[in-house]
Amino acid sequence: MKSILFVDDEPLLLQGLERQFRDLRKDWDMHFAEGGQAALTLMERVPIEVIVSDMSMPGMDGAQLLGEVLARHPHTVRLVLSGHADRDAVLRLVGPAHQYLSKPCDPGELRGAISRALALRDLLANEHLKQLASKVKSLPALPALHRQLTAELGKEEPSLERVADLISHDVAMTSKILQLVNSAFFGLPEPAATPFEAASFLGLSTIRSLVLSIHIFSQFDSNSINAFSAERLARHGWRTAMAAKKIAALEHSEAKMGDQCFLAGLLHDIGQLVLAAGLPGLYESVLRKARSEGLPVWEAERSEFGATHAEVGAYLLGLWGLPNPVVEAVALHHRPAECLDRGLCPAIIVHVADALAHEQDADVTASVGPQPDRACLIALGLEGRLDFWKETIAAH
Ligand SMILES: [Fe+2]
Ligand SMILES: [Fe+2]
């Protein structure tokens, strides 16, 4: 039985939720609290797996409540239901919330978001994975610059100047970002000379994702293992990100989903970096074993650690509170069929993009590369699209 807590200052809204989800009573142990204080008191007595909170409430608002929940019950998944008027409070939530849903929210959508959050939580609660993560001594922290950029992007009218200005304060980041966006990968019409130009060419959300990936890759000592190249892995991430964004665009997905695909593509193999840096000796032998036995690297990881780089990466991104669809896409990039979303979602797109990118970066993990899961694409009625995606991406 999964325990879910709904918090709102409107008793009628809570009663509505109770009615809508009545048929789930067998699976969900539902609790309802009128306001933040009542929610915290209840959480002292009852362990809660997912909390769904309203934003604007008198007394303690949703941002304060979820900040408290983060501090007192860090394993509870935090979802926010927010209306447009709550923009300032939502900004304060950049850290504490796992996912936002806008009000009014369709019950099917809310139910789907809760089910997926629970499935992801189960996946990342794997004992082997926890042990593995605890062996990796220092997991990197989410960079402050990413948090500042997220706050700027959350504003009603995010400003290109302010974003460029924030990046410019970090000289090392500025030079790396310019180097990257001017590389052949991005095919800019003309070279970008400043962060402002880079942001105007590529868009703010893309720039924010690149900042995060550059930061993470620069944290690790790329020479820790002979069989492993962080640089090659970073390049593979860019290729996957570009392919994933392209597929999302070809399928007319919303811009937000395209952005999530891009970010998840950049970071999908980040778990390999964590393992290579945190457990270099052991990871080197896993990579050697994969190579000598002709195994995909994630299978060799699973037999050694009981978890794979996909889950390790998702675990880290989950700790950072990145959006659930991004965490899910990273977690499931080698097994998209487990995605609970019954449509085209970032997990499926990143899986396909990864396979297509691996064809181009054949040697990225010095092992057998992933293949698109055809059965999964057939089930979604998308198998016929695969060749089209492949050709379009190859043409760019
Ligand atoms: Fe992978
Ligand atoms: Fe990959």
Side-chain angles (χ1 to χ4, degrees):
M1 193 78 133
K2 307 290 189 187
S3 53
I4 326 281
L5 170 60
F6 297 93
V7 189
D8 206 296
D9 58 316
E10 268 300 324
L12 281 178
L13 198 135
L14 292 175
Q15 285 162 21
L17 288 168
E18 192 169 8
R19 255 197 322 276
Q20 271 157 7
F21 294 136
R22 187 162 290 155
D23 57 321
L24 288 170
R25 271 182 306 187
K26 286 189 294 331
D27 308 310
W28 288 2
D29 178 18
M30 286 176 274
H31 301 267
F32 301 88
E34 280 178 38
Q37 200 48 57
L40 289 174
T41 311
L42 187 134
M43 288 180 84
E44 294 300 316
R45 293 186 284 113
V46 186
I48 294 293
E49 279 155 288
V50 176
I51 177 168
V52 182
S53 175
D54 181 27
M55 266 322 303
S56 43
M57 298 185 286
M60 182 184 292
D61 70 13
Q64 287 169 309
L65 169 62
L66 295 190
E68 277 303 311
V69 171
L70 170 65
R72 299 187 198 180
H73 311 279
H75 299 299
T76 300
V77 178
R78 303 169 299 272
L79 306 184
V80 160
L81 264 178
S82 99
H84 255 317
D86 305 327
R87 207 162 259 281
D88 283 351
V90 167
L91 276 182
R92 277 187 286 134
L93 272 170
V94 166
H98 285 117
Q99 196 167 343
Y100 312 103
L101 298 158
S102 39
K103 250 181 172 178
C105 182
D106 162 62
E109 194 187 329
L110 180 56
R111 179 190 202 140
I114 295 174
S115 305
R116 289 167 62 188
L118 284 166
L120 193 58
R121 189 177 180 277
D122 286 349
L123 181 79
L124 300 183
N126 167 331
E127 244 345 280
H128 293 293
L129 179 60
K130 278 194 194 153
Q131 279 171 18
L132 183 57
S134 66
K135 275 191 226 151
V136 176
K137 278 170 222 79
S138 54
L139 288 173
L142 185 64
L145 179 57
H146 183 269
R147 215 168 287 141
Q148 292 163 337
L149 293 178
T150 302
E152 181 61 38
L153 262 61
K155 291 186 182 162
E156 198 104 40
E157 288 181 23
S159 138
L160 213 58
E161 283 86 2
R162 276 195 299 266
V163 164
D165 192 47
L166 284 168
I167 297 174
S168 309
H169 281 104
D170 184 334
V171 179
M173 177 58 76
T174 299
S175 80
K176 281 185 194 140
I177 206 140
L178 290 177
Q179 205 182 351
L180 173 55
V181 303
N182 288 323
S183 70
F185 265 103
F186 288 89
L188 295 187
E190 51 192 279
T194 59
F196 180 81
E197 288 180 7
S200 39
F201 283 140
L202 294 174
L204 297 181
S205 168
T206 302
I207 287 291
R208 173 182 54 174
S209 298
L210 292 176
V211 161
L212 182 56
S213 123
I214 288 173
H215 173 86
I216 299 170
F217 278 90
S218 67
Q219 295 284 295
F220 289 95
D221 172 9
S222 60
N223 298 321
S224 55
I225 298 190
N226 287 332
F228 182 85
S229 159
E231 210 182 297
R232 229 181 313 161
L233 196 69
R235 238 178 296 137
H236 167 64
W238 307 338
R239 216 188 271 284
T240 306
M242 303 287 270
K245 196 172 180 173
K246 188 90 224 167
I247 294 172
L250 290 172
E251 297 308 312
H252 310 291
S253 307
E254 284 177 23
K256 184 170 139 201
M257 180 147 136
D259 292 339
Q260 291 172 341
C261 286
F262 186 80
L263 179 57
L266 278 178
L267 301 180
H268 74 283
D269 278 333
I270 199 79
Q272 290 198 18
L273 200 57
V274 174
L275 291 170
L279 305 165
L282 206 51
Y283 199 53
E284 177 145 35
S285 70
V286 169
L287 292 180
R288 282 191 198 292
K289 181 177 169 204
R291 191 186 295 171
S292 67
E293 296 181 13
L295 290 173
V297 69
W298 62 95
E299 281 182 19
E301 290 165 356
R302 187 173 300 287
S303 69
E304 175 67 37
F305 304 125
T308 73
H309 68 264
E311 291 128 28
V312 171
Y315 186 84
L316 177 63
L317 304 189
L319 285 180
W320 287 350
L322 293 196
N324 271 358
V326 173
V327 179
E328 183 180 62
V330 171
L332 299 177
H333 77 267
H334 293 297
R335 38 182 180 149
E338 287 179 38
C339 181
L340 295 183
D341 198 314
R342 289 283 138 245
L344 191 63
C345 62
I348 310 283
I349 294 180
V350 170
H351 162 75
V352 174
D354 179 33
L356 299 183
H358 265 283
E359 282 178 14
Q360 292 172 294
D361 306 315
D363 198 36
V364 69
T365 51
S367 178
V368 187
Q371 297 298 321
D373 182 338
R374 286 190 183 265
C376 178
L377 292 175
I378 290 170
L380 292 168
L382 288 166
E383 210 230 357
R385 303 294 285 163
L386 184 59
D387 285 337
F388 172 58
W389 295 340
K390 211 184 231 183
E391 281 158 24
T392 315
I393 288 162
H396 278 77

